[in-house]
Amino acid sequence: MLHTLTIGELGRSLASRQISSVELTRHFLARIERLNPNLNALITLTAEQALAGAAVADRRRASGEQGPLLGIPLIHKDIFCTQGVRTSCGSHMLDNFVAPYDATVVTRLKAAGTVMLGKANMDEFAMGSSNETSYYGPVKNPWDPAKVPGGSSGGSAAATAARLAPFATGTDTGGSIRQPAALTGITGVKPTYGRVSRYGMIAFASSLDQAGVLTRTAADAAIVLQTMAGFDPQDSTSVEVPVPDYHATLDAPLKGLRIGMLREFFDGLETRNAALIRDAIKVYTALGATTVDVSLPHLPLSVPTYYVVGPAECSSNLSRYDGVRFGYRCRQPKDLSDLYKRSRGEGFGAEVKRRIMTGTYVLSAGYFDAYYLKAQKVRQLITDEFRAAFEQVDLLIGPTTPTPAFDIGAKIDDPITMYLNDIYTIGANLAGLPGLSMPCGFVDGLPMGVQLIGPHFSEGRLLNAAHQYQQATDWHRHVARGYE
Ligand code: GLN
């Protein structure tokens, strides 16, 4: 069955002409049609363009062109601008927005020959940890439709876990790739800040946002990241550092790898979750790694720090949605002020409004020093502590989430409880570090993730460590019932 194959396997079948991209695309489109109504993972389907793109990819193959992604279908998170295709960012505000250009991530993946099947549901403006804030309704977790898939890249994660596509793109501002990857049993990579272009990726919190990928295996993530990563003059925070060959180092032995066990990640960790992480550590020690205890005393402050910095930046970024230039406009405004107020009042959902209000407050003249400036100082302390830790260790290991997927509706009315889902993922965003989550076992029949965090630009090392783990274990091969 075509949907059971990895990107690597599909690439080989396409190269040997055993299958065509059109055939592959038809297969996934049929799966989406049959299974997406249970999941609500995709909110826009681009079947016609996909089939046309697949035919082009087949012609490129026929004329002798090669490439690991040539003819491979994918789903883009609806935060990436896609020319001529609605780009809603999960919001009523952009429900009618058709992007006039492609994001760099989309351009690069398109040039490599990928075929977009559609756009993935997501939390509104990527604000959320459960994919319940979307204007298009919640995404269901393939492992249990009563549970959330995690957020904000929940549609991307559910679609990849349900094998509606070989992979999907995502973004991670405070955990939005790693957290849904963990809760749906797949592999998610959040690269170093600046490694992948943010051009054309709708901004939430610009100093934290980073694009990445959701796949079934680390080896597949290496293939996709190879194409996504790299300098982009269109993004002023894109870093001009050469992209190493991620595939070439996947099989490097782990002997001597120093893995740091973050005390702050294990303090208070639920026992079954802790047991899974300790099992993962045992796999690593069997592979030749050594463990070192490390502590980042300010890390527990990462959630409050993020929920000052993130809203501050979002309040500024989202001021562009004013009902004038693009996006939602209220009906029959009385005057300009009414136009602004009602367009924003009707166009944004509750969580986005909460963030804008918090952000505006912490940036206001009387409170700037007490909140925003203080948060920036703590952010620096956390960054410095990570840097010091990486003088002793090569990677840090810990859980991705405090619990497995929770019930839809369980936390949506309690923002603080919802924000605490991000407790293990936010630190990497504050420090701009790369992080990866991969499946490491089950709690109550639901998948759990183990997280690896590395120093800046250590994606190759993270992918290598994850690939070695996946060679030694088979957690990443489990599939939710009904999606085999
Ligand atoms: N859950 C976090 C938030 O709501 C992170 C979201 C994200 O990474 N986009 O802000």
Side-chain angles (χ1 to χ4, degrees):
M1 289 300 259
L2 293 175
H3 58 272
T4 64
L5 303 177
T6 62
I7 300 174
E9 289 161 346
L10 289 171
R12 285 189 285 281
S13 302
L14 286 164
S16 65
R17 317 293 292 279
Q18 274 167 285
I19 53 166
S20 71
S21 177
V22 168
E23 201 180 325
L24 195 54
T25 302
R26 283 219 173 93
H27 179 79
F28 281 110
L29 287 172
R31 246 180 111 70
I32 290 170
E33 201 171 307
R34 184 162 63 86
L35 299 169
N36 189 51
N38 307 336
L39 297 170
N40 197 26
L42 279 93
I43 50 177
T44 301
L45 270 184
T46 50
E48 233 172 85
Q49 290 110 302
L51 289 168
V56 171
D58 285 336
R59 282 201 293 280
R60 283 168 68 179
R61 287 256 182 216
S63 66
E65 200 178 324
Q66 295 289 347
L69 291 174
L70 185 53
I72 304 281
L74 90 169
I75 294 165
H76 280 299
K77 184 176 182 179
D78 207 19
I79 197 167
F80 291 101
C81 284
T82 43
Q83 188 173 26
V85 175
R86 181 179 70 170
T87 301
S88 74
C89 218
S91 181
H92 189 196
M93 185 56 91
L94 291 177
D95 183 44
N96 62 1
F97 176 64
V98 175
Y101 68 100
D102 279 332
T104 298
V105 161
V106 173
T107 305
R108 286 185 184 226
L109 286 167
K110 208 186 254 182
T114 59
V115 172
M116 179 173 79
L117 301 170
K119 308 282 302 275
N121 202 349
M122 55 180 284
D123 277 302
E124 185 176 10
F125 284 101
M127 298 173 199
S129 310
S130 63
N131 223 120
E132 292 169 283
T133 72
S134 169
Y135 174 61
Y136 304 95
V139 175
K140 316 275 170 60
N141 192 317
W143 292 89
D144 178 347
K147 308 280 181 195
V148 304
S152 66
S153 310
S156 301
T160 305
R163 305 177 173 204
L164 305 187
F167 76 102
T169 53
T171 61
D172 192 311
T173 302
S176 280
I177 289 175
R178 291 161 287 159
Q179 191 237 33
L183 300 190
T184 60
I186 59 169
T187 304
V189 183
K190 174 236 175 260
T192 307
Y193 182 78
R195 176 79 292 185
V196 175
S197 170
R198 289 185 299 109
Y199 179 74
M201 188 175 111
I202 295 175
F204 159 13
S206 305
S207 77
L208 300 159
D209 298 341
Q210 186 56 208
V213 64
L214 296 111
T215 52
R216 298 214 301 273
T217 66
D220 276 1
I223 295 175
V224 181
L225 197 60
Q226 196 74 48
T227 297
M228 287 172 82
F231 178 63
D232 178 9
Q234 310 254 52
D235 170 4
S236 61
T237 57
S238 165
V239 182
E240 203 162 358
V241 171
V243 182
D245 183 344
Y246 296 129
H247 192 77
T249 49
L250 283 179
D251 289 319
L254 299 188
K255 196 163 166 39
L257 182 79
R258 298 164 306 166
I259 297 188
M261 293 174 51
L262 263 177
R263 183 191 308 152
E264 289 72 18
F265 274 10
F266 288 90
D267 281 352
L269 189 63
E270 196 267 333
T271 45
R272 289 172 303 169
N273 194 352
L276 293 181
I277 307 304
R278 290 191 200 288
D279 286 347
I281 293 167
K282 279 188 209 138
V283 172
Y284 278 112
T285 46
L287 288 168
T290 55
T291 56
V292 183
D293 286 319
V294 292
S295 170
L296 272 67
H298 285 94
L299 195 60
L301 295 176
S302 60
V303 173
T305 304
Y306 170 91
Y307 280 99
V308 170
V309 175
E313 294 185 16
C314 112
S315 72
S316 166
N317 275 324
L318 270 60
S319 63
R320 73 191 63 172
Y321 305 107
D322 54 9
V324 177
R325 284 158 294 208
F326 53 85
Y328 179 80
R329 177 180 295 174
C330 67
R331 284 178 181 276
Q332 296 175 328
K334 281 200 303 284
D335 53 28
L336 186 63
S337 161
D338 187 47
L339 169 86
Y340 288 153
K341 281 188 194 152
R342 283 206 289 120
S343 298
R344 287 169 70 77
E346 293 163 17
F348 289 135
E351 183 59 29
V352 171
K353 287 179 191 162
R354 185 177 295 125
R355 306 271 178 120
I356 293 174
M357 286 191 285
T358 316
T360 310
Y361 179 81
V362 300
L363 289 176
S364 61
Y367 296 99
F368 184 91
D369 287 359
Y371 294 106
Y372 187 70
L373 196 63
K374 176 74 87 29
Q376 291 291 28
K377 288 180 180 169
V378 178
R379 181 178 189 178
Q380 190 59 50
L381 287 175
I382 292 172
T383 307
D384 292 345
E385 288 178 2
F386 269 114
R387 190 167 299 136
F390 287 124
E391 278 164 20
Q392 297 174 55
V393 302
D394 301 304
L395 297 177
L396 293 164
I397 195 165
T400 308
T401 62
T403 65
F406 46 91
D407 285 342
I408 293 178
K411 301 187 183 181
I412 194 71
D413 296 324
D414 182 353
I416 304 285
T417 307
M418 187 68 92
Y419 298 166
L420 285 170
N421 289 309
D422 308 335
I423 190 152
Y424 302 121
T425 48
I426 277 175
N429 299 78
L430 289 172
L433 300 168
L436 178 152
S437 177
M438 61 183 167
C440 67
F442 291 85
V443 166
D444 295 332
L446 294 164
M448 294 293 288
V450 57
Q451 184 181 199
L452 304 175
I453 300 174
H456 294 117
F457 298 101
S458 65
E459 287 80 3
R461 171 54 68 71
L462 287 177
L463 291 164
N464 163 225
H467 180 65
Q468 292 304 307
Y469 177 83
Q470 292 182 337
Q471 297 291 100
T473 59
D474 71 352
W475 297 116
H476 61 292
R477 290 189 211 282
H478 290 250
V479 186
R481 187 166 305 150
Y483 298 95
E484 299 91 346

